[in-house]
Amino acid sequence: MHDDAANHLAFERARLVLPGGVNSPVRAYGSVGGDPRFVSSASGPYIRDVTGTEYVDLVCSWGPALLGHAHPAVVEAVQEAAARGLSFGAPTLGEVELAEEIRRRVPAAEHVRLVSTGTEATMTAVRLARGATGRPLIVKFAGCYHGHVDSLLAEAGSGVANQALPGSAGVTEATASETLVLPYNDLEAVEQAFAERGSEIAAVITEAAPANMGIVPPLPGFNEGLRRITTAHGALLIFDEVLTGFRVSASGWWGYETSTLGASYTPDLFTFGKVVGGGMPVAAIGGPSVLMDLLAPLGPVYQAGTLSGNPVAVAAGRATLAAADASVYARVDEVSTTIADATSAALSAEGVAHRVQRSGNLFSVMFGDLAQEVGTRSYAQVQASDTFRYPPFFHAMLDAGVNLPPSVYEAWFVSAAHDDTAVGRVLDALPGAAKAAAAARR
């Protein structure tokens, strides 16, 4: 492991003006150690840092770069939009066209409200659920991340249906008490929570396929079970597809699970982000018109944003979705399978107990005997895994020119731009990284 001088100096400079030297915590390499790479440019499957060193990128801006970095059609659309004006604070046809494309891909999103961030989308969905039901409580699952909304930054208290304790300084106990945190993939716990507090629960919010505690796929029938329970108690089901939406399939995880895995259910509300903006700050809430029209100006649930539906940002989103055809998803699926299988083979060759967990074309590595034997199905099991093996694995890949997520709790992403050359560089780096993981000690 080594830190070159240019990145180190950039990090030191950043720490003089930015808290922790970053504008989003995971970028600081806190869980893997060392100095973060300061990126100067990106193109296709590659990023380059301030030294000019090139890396095959398996972060893809945490998901948005489905087509690869700086895709020509997206760049051209942004340049043309910027030339017409950066922001108007007025309606544009571009935002209508983006909403129409979202509805085309996810017909259950009859009406769409565009916002700027995934956090804003989930915050609005929760407010809308409370406004629609007149109830105060929200159910979420340990390990699922829904942005830095106060009431959703909560850790589980003792007992299945206990009210949550604050998961961040600055979040009051009163705010956290509006959230019930349950173990993921545990329908019995959900049944119990509704048996005890069902008349108070406005909604269950869940990542459609969790990818913020590493990849922890929903067990077969879990999402359908959530739909059954919420319907029985008059609560809403909110699907957080900020990460999975338009990445794991043309219609996100809901589309993947219902069309490919044979599930049959429909959430009440969807939240989208990342891919829907093509790398620009765009997110969205969608659902049936009867619910969505409770938002102002038609209804009593207030939401607003000066930059919502920004013309430059929606141009990037429209161009990304326009280019994301069947061949794009087929290539992303193919590359993710190749890299996931090769990662598992390299670790197995070194005798490292592990499991590469997958949700469609999203994947991540879980280390340890339990993971290998039965997989990790909840946040508690993820926390109990051999996470100490990831930092040396990460740095060995980085030294070999492959940029992985700087946390074992994050998903790996590929793009349609990852050609055979880029994939080959990843495969070449894996044996050395597997040796580093095997040699790791607590």
Side-chain angles (χ1 to χ4, degrees):
M1 186 189 310
H2 69 273
D3 298 315
D4 66 275
N7 281 299
H8 179 73
L9 289 174
F11 193 37
E12 289 297 302
R13 179 181 175 186
R15 286 196 284 193
L16 294 176
V17 290
L18 304 175
V22 293
N23 281 309
S24 191
V26 74
R27 300 176 190 175
Y29 280 26
S31 68
V32 294
D35 293 332
R37 297 304 187 260
F38 277 67
V39 177
S40 61
S41 66
S43 178
Y46 304 108
I47 61 170
R48 293 165 190 82
D49 69 12
V50 291
T51 71
T53 302
E54 181 180 81
Y55 305 87
V56 180
D57 186 25
L58 299 184
V59 178
C60 292
S61 189
W62 303 100
L66 176 69
L67 306 176
H69 292 290
H71 187 277
V74 178
V75 172
E76 181 181 1
V78 168
Q79 290 172 334
E80 290 180 354
R84 293 192 296 269
L86 300 181
S87 180
F88 309 129
T92 69
L93 285 177
E95 55 193 317
V96 177
E97 291 166 358
L98 180 57
E100 288 173 339
E101 177 61 14
I102 292 170
R103 185 174 65 180
R104 186 187 71 79
R105 288 168 171 251
V106 183
E110 294 176 348
H111 283 187
V112 174
R113 172 61 59 90
L114 298 182
V115 293
S116 297
T117 68
T119 292
E120 193 180 355
T122 57
M123 176 182 69
T124 302
V126 165
R127 183 180 300 163
L128 182 55
R130 287 182 169 134
T133 63
R135 299 174 180 179
L137 298 183
I138 301 295
V139 171
K140 66 156 290 191
F141 297 101
C144 285
Y145 178 69
H146 306 291
H148 57 95
V149 182
D150 278 8
S151 62
L152 301 180
L153 273 181
E155 298 171 346
S158 59
V160 169
N162 282 359
Q163 291 167 321
L165 298 175
S168 169
V171 177
T172 66
E173 290 188 15
T175 297
S177 70
E178 298 172 343
T179 304
L180 306 180
V181 182
L182 306 181
Y184 188 69
N185 270 328
D186 189 341
L187 282 178
E188 184 177 340
V190 181
E191 294 272 20
Q192 181 181 332
F194 272 91
E196 296 176 4
R197 309 289 298 275
S199 64
E200 302 171 75
I201 297 172
V204 172
I205 185 170
T206 182
E207 285 187 70
N212 285 285
M213 49 178 155
I215 297 299
V216 177
L219 292 174
F222 179 71
N223 285 329
E224 287 179 292
L226 296 180
R227 174 71 289 176
R228 172 181 54 81
I229 295 166
T230 52
T231 299
H233 290 271
L236 302 188
L237 177 59
I238 303 170
F239 243 32
D240 182 343
E241 295 232 36
V242 167
L243 197 152
T244 54
F246 315 124
R247 170 161 274 280
V248 297
S249 80
S251 49
W253 181 262
W254 175 68
Y256 176 79
E257 196 168 37
T258 53
S259 66
T260 304
L261 303 183
S264 178
Y265 67 95
T266 302
D268 294 293
L269 295 171
F270 296 83
T271 62
F272 302 110
K274 299 187 185 293
V275 170
V276 78
M280 297 287 278
V282 178
I285 312 97
S289 58
V290 67
L291 277 177
M292 292 298 296
D293 288 354
L294 293 175
L295 290 172
L298 293 179
V301 180
Y302 192 74
Q303 184 277 331
T306 299
L307 296 179
S308 294
N310 175 270
V312 180
V314 299
R318 286 162 50 218
T320 296
L321 294 182
D325 58 14
S327 67
V328 164
Y329 291 104
R331 179 59 182 173
V332 170
D333 290 347
E334 178 186 5
V335 171
S336 70
T337 296
T338 298
I339 294 176
D341 289 350
T343 300
S344 187
L347 290 168
S348 294
E350 296 299 327
V352 179
H354 74 284
R355 179 177 292 232
V356 176
Q357 299 206 158
R358 302 188 61 184
S359 289
N361 54 44
L362 298 175
F363 61 98
S364 67
V365 182
M366 301 291 183
F367 295 99
D369 292 331
L370 177 64
Q372 180 166 285
E373 291 168 10
V374 298
T376 49
R377 301 175 180 178
S378 69
Y379 188 42
Q381 291 178 343
V382 172
Q383 291 177 307
S385 65
D386 292 347
T387 58
F388 67 91
R389 296 196 186 278
Y390 189 74
F393 180 87
F394 167 86
H395 279 286
M397 293 293 283
L398 192 68
D399 290 345
V402 179
N403 182 51
L404 297 182
S407 169
V408 73
Y409 295 106
E410 301 288 352
W412 298 22
F413 299 92
V414 301
S415 78
H418 281 72
D419 57 15
D420 291 347
T421 299
V423 172
R425 288 175 57 176
V426 176
L427 303 191
D428 289 344
L430 284 169
K435 291 181 184 295
R441 297 293 180 266
R442 291 187 188 273

